Amino acid sequence: MDQMITALIMIIVGAAIGGVTNSLAIKMLFRPYNAIYFLGKRVPFTPGLIPKRRDELATQLGKMVVEHLLTAEGIKRKFLQAQFQDQLISWGETQVKKVTNSEKTVEQILESFNVNEPSQKADLLLKTFLQGKYEELVHENKSKPLQELLPKNLLDEAYVAIPKIGQFIIDKGISYFESNEGKQKLKKMIEDFLATRGMLGNMIGMFLGNESLVDKVQPEVLKFLKNKETHVLITTLIGREWNHIQDMTLDELDQKWGIFEKGSTIVNTVVETLNVQDLLSKPISAYLKPNEDKIIQEWLPKMVTLSIQYLTSHLEEMLKKLKLEEVVREQVETFAVDRLEDIILSISRREFKMITYLGALLGGIIGGLQAIIVMFIQ
């Protein structure tokens, strides 16, 4: 009976030793968190294994992530999967619809990026840009003749248009002098002409009368305008003047007609005509909604394809720039040890308990074997 009690005690003690030893070993992985010193010397096994080797653990984890988990080849495979690309397009479609149906104005969107008074700034920026380009163009070409600055096809079209311009002037002249307004203007011109001829003019006026003279002059004027030679004459004069203008430099044109100042005025007029304030005050849906189907069906798939091609071709370089190994290492190094302990235990708590139970079982078995040996020796 005494031997049985002794054996039972040995089994219990062995099991307790095994269980407590394994439990203590598991706790010593993490604890104590910091080194303990006694009489100026560090107590052995302090701090725990993981706190003591945290720097090394962080370095190894960083290498493992870069070399085995987040590799360029693995990420490329994910990017090139048709399912992933379809998911990306589906997500992009949702985002596009949000934007194309948004009632936010362009001005509001710019203000959300801390751009104050965007319409005034855009107006000033556009004016400054166009004015600068105009002044740059003038400065570089002011000594060149006009025919060197204009495209050849434009010069050819201008020559072709000269007869049409001449005919247009004649048609307008005929229409004007056939009208009552034109006749009255012609009468006034005759009166002014006769008034400058003194007595001779008065005598002609008395003999013929203004009305009679206008009735005689008007048909002659119309006859002159309708004559083919008149068209040839006007076309020739316009062509000659156009040739002269082509040979003039921009400086000469400016001295004659002040084109530089007029050009600056045209630039400002163009910007004012654009009405930047009105453009920015419209919701972005006004610009994008009409093209929503085209954006989703044509542009979005192309953008996804081009983005993936770019990413996959530059992925290795990007990962090197990101320095993921350092990122992981720095993150692990900044972990509080108790947080790291919670993370590991949350994953392996059950396994650690089984190790403790296994230690108790093995301790009990060893205690039982010891009891048997003792009994045989006695």
Side-chain angles (χ1 to χ4, degrees), residues 3 9 21 45 58 101 137 153 165 190 214 230 254 268 278 300 310 316:
Q3 290 180 344
I9 292 173
T21 302
F45 306 110
N101 290 282
L137 179 67
N153 62 330
I165 295 172
I190 293 172
V214 169
T230 302
D254 181 58
N268 292 331
D278 182 58
L300 181 59
Y310 180 84
E316 291 184 7

Side-chain angles (χ1 to χ4, degrees), residues 33 331 334-344:
Y33 298 146
Q331 288 295 317
T334 57
F335 273 179
V337 180
D338 56 346
R339 183 183 173 192
L340 190 60
E341 181 182 7
D342 290 339
I343 293 173
I344 296 176

Side-chain angles (χ1 to χ4, degrees), residues 159-282:
Y159 277 116
V160 172
I162 287 175
K164 297 178 181 178
I165 295 172
Q167 187 61 51
F168 176 78
I169 293 172
I170 291 173
D171 292 342
K172 286 296 181 181
I174 292 172
S175 176
Y176 178 75
F177 285 110
E178 283 181 341
S179 68
N180 187 55
E181 180 185 355
K183 187 174 181 180
Q184 293 300 318
K185 184 65 176 179
L186 192 58
K187 178 183 176 183
K188 181 69 169 56
M189 291 169 64
I190 293 172
E191 290 174 351
D192 293 341
F193 174 77
L194 294 177
T196 60
R197 293 297 179 268
M199 186 178 293
L200 178 62
N202 292 333
M203 290 177 60
I204 295 174
M206 284 190 300
F207 283 110
L208 297 177
N210 288 340
E211 294 295 334
S212 176
L213 192 56
V214 169
D215 291 336
K216 292 181 181 297
V217 172
Q218 185 187 33
E220 295 302 320
V221 171
L222 294 173
K223 182 178 178 182
F224 171 78
L225 291 173
K226 293 177 180 179
N227 193 302
K228 292 183 178 180
E229 293 300 320
T230 302
H231 180 261
V232 173
L233 173 64
I234 292 176
T235 300
T236 302
L237 291 174
I238 294 174
R240 188 180 302 164
E241 187 62 25
W242 173 240
N243 288 332
H244 176 62
I245 290 173
Q246 287 183 77
D247 293 331
M248 295 175 69
T249 64
L250 290 183
D251 262 341
E252 292 171 338
L253 291 169
D254 181 58
Q255 292 172 10
K256 188 171 184 178
W257 290 304
I259 62 169
F260 293 165
E261 183 178 352
K262 288 182 175 65
S264 296
T265 304
I266 291 172
V267 168
N268 292 331
T269 303
V270 168
V271 175
E272 290 170 3
T273 304
L274 286 175
N275 197 351
V276 176
Q277 173 67 44
D278 182 58
L279 294 175
L280 296 183
S281 62
K282 291 182 179 179

Side-chain angles (χ1 to χ4, degrees), residues 36-249:
I36 299 174
Y37 291 89
F38 181 73
L39 298 177
K41 294 186 177 181
R42 183 173 61 85
V43 176
F45 306 110
T46 64
L49 178 62
I50 290 178
K52 185 177 181 179
R53 299 291 185 89
R54 181 167 60 175
D55 293 343
E56 185 180 342
L57 175 65
T59 302
Q60 293 301 321
L61 281 174
K63 289 182 178 179
M64 182 181 68
V65 168
V66 172
E67 295 175 3
H68 302 287
L69 299 180
L70 291 178
T71 62
E73 292 75 14
I75 297 174
K76 283 181 183 179
R77 284 196 299 270
K78 183 64 177 179
F79 280 160
L80 296 175
Q81 286 178 359
Q83 183 180 2
F84 174 76
Q85 294 184 18
D86 291 342
Q87 290 173 348
L88 201 57
I89 291 173
S90 178
W91 174 83
E93 182 178 342
T94 303
Q95 301 307 311
V96 167
K97 287 183 177 179
K98 286 182 181 178
V99 175
T100 55
N101 290 282
S102 174
E103 291 302 316
K104 283 188 176 181
T105 64
V106 179
E107 191 169 23
Q108 289 173 336
I109 293 174
L110 291 174
E111 287 176 347
S112 67
F113 289 97
N114 296 322
V115 180
N116 299 319
E117 299 181 345
S119 57
Q120 290 86 339
K121 288 183 178 179
D123 190 80
L124 178 61
L125 184 64
L126 189 57
K127 281 184 179 179
T128 304
F129 174 77
L130 292 178
Q131 193 69 37
K133 287 296 182 182
Y134 172 72
E135 291 175 359
E136 182 182 341
L137 179 67
V138 168
H139 179 73
E140 291 177 353
N141 301 285
K142 61 183 180 180
S143 61
K144 294 180 181 179
L146 186 62
Q147 63 182 350
E148 289 186 15
L149 301 176
L150 297 178
K152 186 178 182 303
N153 62 330
L154 183 60
L155 293 174
D156 294 340
E157 289 176 5
Y159 277 116
V160 172
I162 287 175
K164 297 178 181 178
I165 295 172
Q167 187 61 51
F168 176 78
I169 293 172
I170 291 173
D171 292 342
K172 286 296 181 181
I174 292 172
S175 176
Y176 178 75
F177 285 110
E178 283 181 341
S179 68
N180 187 55
E181 180 185 355
K183 187 174 181 180
Q184 293 300 318
K185 184 65 176 179
L186 192 58
K187 178 183 176 183
K188 181 69 169 56
M189 291 169 64
I190 293 172
E191 290 174 351
D192 293 341
F193 174 77
L194 294 177
T196 60
R197 293 297 179 268
M199 186 178 293
L200 178 62
N202 292 333
M203 290 177 60
I204 295 174
M206 284 190 300
F207 283 110
L208 297 177
N210 288 340
E211 294 295 334
S212 176
L213 192 56
V214 169
D215 291 336
K216 292 181 181 297
V217 172
Q218 185 187 33
E220 295 302 320
V221 171
L222 294 173
K223 182 178 178 182
F224 171 78
L225 291 173
K226 293 177 180 179
N227 193 302
K228 292 183 178 180
E229 293 300 320
T230 302
H231 180 261
V232 173
L233 173 64
I234 292 176
T235 300
T236 302
L237 291 174
I238 294 174
R240 188 180 302 164
E241 187 62 25
W242 173 240
N243 288 332
H244 176 62
I245 290 173
Q246 287 183 77
D247 293 331
M248 295 175 69
T249 64

